[in-house]
Amino acid sequence: MRRIRSVKRSVRFPVSSTLLRRLALASIIANVAIVVTGGAVRLTASGLGCPTWPRCTDDSYTTTAEMGVHGVIEFGNRLLTFAVGIIALAVVLAVLAHRPRRRGLLPLAVGVLFGIPAQAVIGGITVLTDLNPWVVGLHFLASMAVIAAAYALWRRIKEPDGPVSPTVPAPLRTLAWITTAVSASVLVVGTWVTGSGPHAGDHGAARNGLDPTQISQVHADGVFLLIGLSVSLYFAFRAVGAERAARAAAVLIAVELGQGVIGFVQYFTHLPGVLVGAHMLGSCLVLLATLGVLFATRERLPAAPPAPAEPVAEPVGAGA
């Protein structure tokens, strides 16, 4: 009887799939927002506004009046990490409260939750290493990994629990994975470009030593390859009648072109802060659009209903 009562208490406030999906979407938006605000920290030269970590100063966990606006900006970004973490925790609790319990959701939700403090620790290391450009780049890429996990969770919530079935031929799934790998490499090289440029996050921070013109050309070449692959995917999906995948590829192409325009304009206008911030937002959108294409190449089928229990035969003479 106690066990029955505990089960009833655990499902007294069940979470609907709609609410769960909205929370997962909020997690995506929050993680994208903290990338953009983190960019604002760097673009305003506030990267060392709080010169140490986890405290803001040796004597205080919060910013002080003497630290000025740079301290406020840096400390504000640190506070946003707690907000993002609270949303991720809410998603985990919602997954646990959802009925029926969905296999596959909890690992993704926990991955996002633990990814946020891990990303915050890397952010702290960037401060302790005086904004080492390689660590700053790793900080950005860690955020991309958390966003990818949050997106996977959001997509998984609306899927049934059956086996995965491809919606396009195997060669096109391979091409989609290659496109995803190229998209990831473009993001990585983009951090190298940033590490060679003028926006170090602090006027005294070191640069990575790469030639800005040469590494920017490598980055641009990767973007051209990515757009070419995306266009190829679009026409290939159309050719096999995979309209959902073709629409996802069209969205990816549009995002890439917009991001490419911002990239070229910022390069030839000597990297104004506003455009660099927009380019960081565009990087998040490119990642999400790429994942959208990848998820469109497969679908999850409904789970098979449980087999009916076999009737248990009564032993002969049991009723005697």
Side-chain angles (χ1 to χ4, degrees), residues 31-32 34-35 115 119-120 122 137-149 284 287:
N31 279 284
V32 171
I34 203 166
V35 170
Q119 191 259 14
I122 298 173
L138 181 61
H139 187 44
F140 172 79
L141 295 175
S143 294
M144 295 295 103
V146 174
I147 290 172
C284 299
L287 171 65

Side-chain angles (χ1 to χ4, degrees), residues 4-44:
I4 294 174
R5 286 176 180 172
S6 65
V7 171
K8 286 183 177 179
R9 280 197 297 268
S10 66
V11 298
R12 186 175 297 172
F13 302 106
V15 173
S16 67
S17 296
T18 300
L19 176 57
L20 184 56
R21 199 151 188 261
R22 287 175 179 172
L23 285 171
L25 179 60
S27 182
I28 296 173
I29 295 171
N31 279 284
V32 171
I34 203 166
V35 170
V36 177
T37 58
V41 171
R42 181 168 56 82
L43 295 169
T44 57

Side-chain angles (χ1 to χ4, degrees), residues 185-254:
S185 69
V186 167
L187 291 175
V188 172
V189 177
T191 66
W192 302 350
V193 175
T194 298
S196 69
H199 297 293
D202 184 80
H203 298 300
R207 301 284 72 205
N208 60 21
L210 299 175
D211 181 84
T213 301
Q214 292 180 356
I215 196 62
S216 295
Q217 184 61 59
V218 172
H219 183 57
D221 292 341
V223 171
F224 290 138
L225 175 60
L226 178 60
I227 293 175
L229 288 170
S230 303
V231 171
S232 299
L233 279 174
Y234 172 76
F235 285 109
F237 290 152
R238 291 290 302 273
V240 299
E243 294 301 323
R244 184 167 70 96
R247 288 193 298 270
V251 171
L252 175 58
I253 294 168

Side-chain angles (χ1 to χ4, degrees), residues 101-112:
R101 184 69 62 83
R102 298 281 307 282
R103 62 184 177 87
L105 297 187
L106 188 59
L108 287 170
V110 171
V112 173

Side-chain angles (χ1 to χ4, degrees), residues 164-203:
V164 172
S165 175
T167 58
V168 299
L172 294 188
R173 288 210 71 192
T174 300
L175 184 59
W177 275 107
I178 292 173
T179 303
T180 303
V182 172
S183 181
S185 69
V186 167
L187 291 175
V188 172
V189 177
T191 66
W192 302 350
V193 175
T194 298
S196 69
H199 297 293
D202 184 80
H203 298 300

